[in-house]
Amino acid sequence: MASRSLSGTATTGKHPVRTAAQVVGAVFVLVGILGFIPGITSNYDTMMFAGHESEAKLLGLFQVSILHNLVHLAYGVAGLVLARTVSGARTYLIAGGAIYLVLWLYGLVIDHGSGANFVPLNNADNWLHLFLGLGMIGLGVALTRRPADRR
């Protein structure tokens, strides 16, 4: 299968950044679906559309709501769509990672018991968002670095 590199030249095979974006996107789709499954999501009967009042927790750890699950699904679909090209995959990973770092900062500064916690977020979410942000950016950059010229 021929694809285009960042420079626009034709290459053969699938670029690693495309594979990474597909895997990340598929995981987000899976997480979005799992958030709607009672048993995998504890306190499922308390799930709200949005807001900190939702006590539903994916895997008993990560606070979720209907909105939170829908965002995961949309994020995943975006990754699968953008993984069609090297530049799209790179953009998804780097921009998506940056969004997660902003969400991590947001989670640090808001009062988790206030109306500002509309997503909702808890401490486990905050740590996961930091890890995801750094990981996605790292993948996007590392997998699209050009090899140094050898002399």
Side-chain angles (χ1 to χ4, degrees):
M1 171 170 117
S3 62
R4 298 223 172 252
S5 69
L6 284 175
S7 64
T9 59
T11 60
T12 57
K14 187 191 276 187
H15 196 285
V17 77
R18 290 184 58 219
T19 302
Q22 285 177 329
V23 168
V24 171
V27 169
F28 275 114
V29 168
L30 179 63
V31 166
I33 292 168
L34 292 176
F36 288 114
I37 300 176
I40 294 174
T41 299
S42 61
N43 301 322
Y44 187 82
D45 58 329
T46 68
M47 187 181 297
M48 313 262 315
F49 179 76
H52 67 280
E53 298 90 3
S54 181
E55 290 298 321
K57 291 187 178 166
L58 179 62
L59 304 174
L61 190 61
F62 305 103
Q63 192 173 3
V64 294
S65 65
I66 294 170
L67 175 63
H68 204 151
N69 293 333
L70 293 173
V71 168
H72 286 144
L73 286 168
Y75 223 70
V77 169
L80 295 173
V81 169
L82 289 169
R84 292 179 181 170
T85 65
V86 171
S87 62
R90 183 177 197 274
T91 299
Y92 170 72
L93 291 171
I94 294 173
I99 290 168
Y100 265 101
L101 290 180
V102 168
L103 191 56
W104 167 66
L105 289 172
Y106 182 75
L108 291 179
V109 299
I110 63 161
D111 176 4
H112 288 182
S114 75
N117 190 13
F118 66 94
V119 175
L121 303 169
N122 63 13
N123 286 331
D125 290 305
N126 289 340
W127 284 104
L128 181 62
H129 294 156
L130 173 61
F131 171 76
L132 286 170
L134 294 174
M136 288 175 72
I137 291 170
L139 283 170
V141 170
L143 296 176
T144 55
R145 282 184 24 188
R146 296 198 174 127
D149 290 332
R150 294 189 182 195
R151 296 177 192 237

